[in-house]
Amino acid sequence: MAALGGDGLRLLSVSRPERQPESAALGGPGPGLCCWVSVFSCLSLACSYVGSLYVWKSELPRDHPAVIKRRFTSVLVVSSLSPLCVLLWRELTGIQPGTSLLTLMGFRLEGIFPAALLPLLLTMILFLGPLMQLSMDCPCDLADRLKVVLAPRSWARCLTDMRWLRNQVIAPLTEELVFRACMLPMLAPCTGLGPAVFTCPLFFGVAHFHHIFEQLRFRQSSVGSIFLSAAFQFSYTAVFGAYTAFLFIRTGHLIGPVLCHSFCNYMGFPAVCAALEHPQRRLLLAGYALGVGFFLLLLQPLTDPKLYGSLPLCVLLERAGDSEAPLCS
């Protein structure tokens, strides 16, 4: 954090197309102070989001329907108010992105169909191995699975399941809104797009540490196991956050990260150990390897900004004179 006031981070001027000295870029606070404003705003959002989960006192576990319903209310309130934090940040820093706040946060119609489909397809390719594993372990055939998926009764059952709504709808929507759509526009002018991809997920990963308190409270495991699990969860949520931040910047849409988040919540972390012990482990391991290989091969083509129109965050940096942002081309 101490590096925020030094040369490692830069605040981009967006008041005129030509570069200005950093000290006069905004006609207000210096670049170090403005970077601190950005970091403090992101930290405040993260704390508000996690804190909203604990405004309700209850002796019940987090998966109880009554607890989930109460948390829906508080999280939706915080998420609905989160754009106000971006608005306040804009006023405090003097940054004018040259586009509407909603557009900057990924709410736009231009390129929405590829933005919804292609990132989800890319993520499903990455999960080729786990999808094969799920298919092999499911006793029903493809036709039966399609009937279940398409049956209105199945969807009605899902919509009344509080855990399903939390994992597939509310958590992906609110977390991507707060931790991607609100935080990235505030961090990018300070750090640049590349570092923002790796800085933003740190707030997302740390926000998941609150699960430690609930596990300790209900003594669900030993203290060592709980902290080891929390460290592991921080690691993969940070990696996942970097991936959805990359998708948000490259597509300029919120819908892609939300759908990918929902899909990953459904799939869970890949059961690699189970795959190693599976009767058809060679086929499964080949699926895992092919999925990762094709994912890396298609990552750039399927997120090519040309498919999605003008990208708001890239426009913001172009107005600042940073027309060579690598993620914008």
Side-chain angles (χ1 to χ4, degrees):
M1 289 295 184
L4 290 173
D7 297 330
L9 299 179
R10 65 188 187 283
L11 183 66
L12 301 175
S13 166
V14 294
S15 58
R16 293 190 301 184
E18 64 271 19
R19 287 268 186 184
Q20 296 181 7
E22 291 187 66
S23 59
L26 299 173
L33 179 58
C34 287
C35 283
W36 279 112
V37 169
S38 298
V39 172
F40 180 77
S41 298
C42 292
L43 186 61
S44 298
L45 272 180
C47 292
S48 299
Y49 186 93
V50 175
S52 71
L53 302 174
Y54 293 95
V55 296
W56 312 97
K57 292 184 178 181
S58 175
E59 298 300 322
L60 299 171
R62 66 185 293 267
D63 287 335
H64 193 281
V67 174
I68 295 175
K69 288 179 181 178
R70 290 174 179 176
R71 289 184 169 186
F72 278 0
T73 302
S74 54
V75 162
L76 287 172
V77 169
V78 169
S79 301
S80 300
L81 296 176
S82 60
L84 295 179
C85 186
V86 185
L87 186 63
L88 179 61
W89 161 84
R90 188 181 67 179
E91 295 303 317
L92 290 174
T93 60
I95 293 177
Q96 299 299 325
T99 185
S100 71
L101 190 63
L102 289 178
T103 299
L104 190 66
M105 293 171 57
F107 293 95
R108 61 197 189 99
L109 293 177
E110 183 187 16
I112 190 170
F113 291 111
L117 296 176
L118 296 182
L120 181 59
L121 174 62
L122 183 66
T123 308
M124 293 177 72
I125 291 172
L126 176 63
F127 276 78
L128 177 62
L131 286 172
M132 290 173 58
Q133 192 170 347
L134 186 63
S135 177
M136 290 177 181
D137 294 339
C138 182
C140 54
D141 59 24
L142 180 59
D144 291 335
R145 288 197 294 269
L146 287 175
K147 287 180 182 178
V148 172
V149 170
L150 298 176
R153 187 174 298 179
S154 298
W155 284 101
R157 193 182 307 116
C158 289
L159 293 175
T160 57
D161 183 341
M162 291 297 103
R163 292 184 64 181
W164 186 91
L165 281 174
R166 178 191 63 192
N167 296 336
Q168 311 308 137
V169 180
I170 302 298
L173 179 60
T174 58
E175 289 180 4
E176 293 305 318
L177 173 61
V178 171
F179 291 94
R180 245 65 71 187
C182 289
M183 291 190 183
L184 280 170
M186 293 191 290
L187 288 173
C190 179
T191 65
L193 291 179
V197 167
F198 298 100
T199 305
C200 186
L202 298 180
F203 296 97
F204 183 58
V206 170
H208 285 74
F209 270 119
H210 73 93
H211 293 308
I212 293 177
F213 303 111
E214 295 198 17
Q215 291 174 352
L216 289 173
R217 177 184 171 191
F218 291 100
R219 294 294 178 182
Q220 296 176 351
S221 184
S222 66
V223 174
S225 298
I226 289 173
F227 278 94
L228 185 62
S229 174
F232 178 71
Q233 187 178 36
F234 169 80
S235 300
Y236 78 75
T237 51
V239 171
F240 173 78
Y243 173 56
T244 55
F246 176 85
L247 292 177
F248 180 83
I249 292 172
R250 293 276 287 179
T251 66
H253 282 273
L254 182 62
I255 188 171
V258 169
L259 292 177
C260 293
H261 193 147
S262 180
F263 173 77
C264 290
N265 278 359
Y266 172 76
M267 293 298 298
F269 192 82
V272 180
C273 292
L276 291 172
E277 299 175 356
H278 200 278
Q280 303 185 53
R281 59 180 176 274
R282 290 185 178 180
L283 181 59
L284 276 180
L285 292 177
Y288 272 82
L290 283 174
V292 173
F294 279 114
F295 171 80
L296 295 175
L297 186 65
L298 296 172
L299 179 61
Q300 293 290 335
L302 290 185
T303 61
D304 189 338
K306 295 176 183 177
L307 299 171
Y308 308 103
S310 178
L311 305 185
L313 286 180
C314 294
V315 171
L316 187 154
L317 298 189
E318 285 174 2
R319 285 168 56 86
D322 188 10
S323 58
E324 298 181 358
L327 295 182
C328 295
S329 58

